[in-house]
Amino acid sequence: MSGASAPLRVLILEDSDNDAELLLRHLRRSGYDLDWVRVQTPEAFADALGVGGDGVSRDGVSRDGVSRDENKKKDWDVILSDFTMPRFSAPNALAIVKEHGIDVPFIIISGNVGEAAAASAMKAGAHDFLLKGSLARLVSAIERERAEARVRREHRRAVDELRESRARLQIAVQARDEFLSIASHELKTPLTSLSLQVESARQILETLASASGPAARLDAKLEGVSRQVARLTRLINGLLDVTRITSDRMPLDLDRFDLREAIEAVVAGTEDDLARSGSSLQIEASSAAVGSWDRLRIESVIYSLLSNAMKFGAGKPIQVSVNATPTEAVLVVTDQGIGIENGEQERIFRRFERAVPSKHFGGLGLGLWAARSIVEAHGGTISVASERGAGSTFKVRLPTSNGVPS
Amino acid sequence: MSAAQSIVMVVDDDRDIREIVADVLGDAGYSVITAINGADAIELLAKVTPSLILLDLNMPVMDGFEFRRAQRGNPALAKIPTVIMSAVHRMKEKVEELAVDDTLEKPVVLKDLLGVVARFCRTRDTY
């Protein structure tokens, strides 16, 4: 409140010269440097708030040395208003404030107008109500309301920033999904040619009927190409699934099959990865686990879990088990690798998240997120139990009959 | 026995797809004719009546959607079995209105391609 701080910007609504002068004197005596404007009409009030239209009357504006242009759109610290004036009133002023969503502390300083009027003014948005002639409380009321207005302003700014950054993020995600969708479409056409070429070449080789020598070597090479084509296909389909999941559209193509068949199919396609990982794989699945699921998607869930176990399994044994009740099939994949810290265990199921830096481990960071989305689309759950350095156990529960519309 | 041998028409703007599909279907005992877009296909259909049309969707000049509408509007062509073979996103929803006989989603594997074609066609070895 010393002269060193910025002046207090006060908008005064008062018809009496005397009362206005008393008010200003009180504030100056309290140590405020003042930057003030006094108004007596709705037009002048709106103008002072920077919400008046062109050509409004500026009657009643009196200033202490500040030009009118500067006056416009001023950020007032406080509005001090008489209750009734010949051409204006505090309730009218409050209506204007409310209409324009202006958040400036509004303190009524009035003669005795009765409790009912005071109460209704407070209800209309006034922050305090003081009686002329007892201004002792004025300074503390102004300071309290300024502090609260500051808090409200900061809160609004934080909310605005959050909203903006969310909007930016949404646009970015949308652009990326659009890109993925186009890219995967573009990739599928050459992949079709490639896949058919390789398969056709292998068929031709077969007719050569030579089990050894160059034909056999060529066939082994083509088998390798064929595996890589299958891997590319999986990757591209995975990318496309990202966009499908994001747009909340994952129509399931339901089919009745044994979970063990799906595991077999995935394991057959990952033999190379397994050999590279140095881990051994043990499958415990003694009884059938039949249900209605989307075969390709469930295979991609199994693939994600298996390839994670190989990637992070530190070359130690991996166990896969399947158990089933009439209503539910449970798939468990356990490794004894690097494990996941407690705080990371929820995060790994989110999109593009990984618990380890990508330069040490490959992959797009989408596998578990896609797996969770797929499992949940089937009405199931996926969870992890893990300890740093002691491996991870992923458990997928799938209802055997699917109430989910396909 | 060429009279019994089925003709498959492949409509695709991608040259490699046309060639390899013609190749593998040829190896499997079918006759194949190819067209590079819907308009080209309609021109060919004035001269040849295949047992099956394998139709791509995204093509310049006349795409698969337009072709299918034109085909269905022509009584001479409407009855020819037609299978969409495309990489288009959410294909099944998009082709619902086209009332095609089946769909093959790219990337297509040989087994699926031969399986679909065998349902509509006979090879020269069938009889």
Side-chain angles (χ1 to χ4, degrees), chain A residues 302-323:
Chain A
I302 298 167
Y303 175 76
S304 292
L305 295 181
L306 266 184
S307 67
N308 271 337
M310 292 172 197
K311 236 187 276 178
F312 305 117
K316 297 186 182 139
I318 297 165
Q319 267 136 16
V320 176
S321 77
V322 177
N323 283 293

Side-chain angles (χ1 to χ4, degrees), chain B residues 52-118:
Chain B
L52 175 68
I53 299 171
L54 287 175
L55 181 65
D56 187 21
L57 285 177
N58 286 345
M59 291 178 288
V61 186
M62 182 192 264
D63 68 16
F65 294 95
E66 274 179 84
F67 169 81
R68 181 65 182 155
R69 278 191 280 275
Q71 182 202 355
R72 290 173 78 195
N74 181 339
L77 308 180
K79 286 204 179 109
I80 303 172
T82 303
V83 171
I84 300 285
M85 188 168 77
S86 162
V88 99
H89 194 28
R90 290 188 201 146
M91 180 167 71
K92 281 189 180 161
E93 299 164 41
K94 282 180 185 157
V95 302
E96 223 165 78
E97 45 148 344
L98 299 182
V100 289
D101 297 86
D102 207 342
T103 56
L104 278 167
E105 201 162 341
K106 288 178 185 171
V108 176
V109 292
L110 187 57
K111 181 168 72 80
D112 294 346
L113 174 64
L114 294 179
V116 164
V117 173

Side-chain angles (χ1 to χ4, degrees), chain A residues 101-104 148-163:
Chain A
I102 292 162
D103 183 14
V104 178
E148 284 185 12
R150 208 158 31 235
V151 169
R152 287 197 298 273
R153 230 175 4 249
E154 269 156 28
H155 177 74
R156 268 199 306 274
R157 190 164 46 226
V159 168
D160 282 352
E161 271 170 22
L162 197 65
R163 201 172 287 144

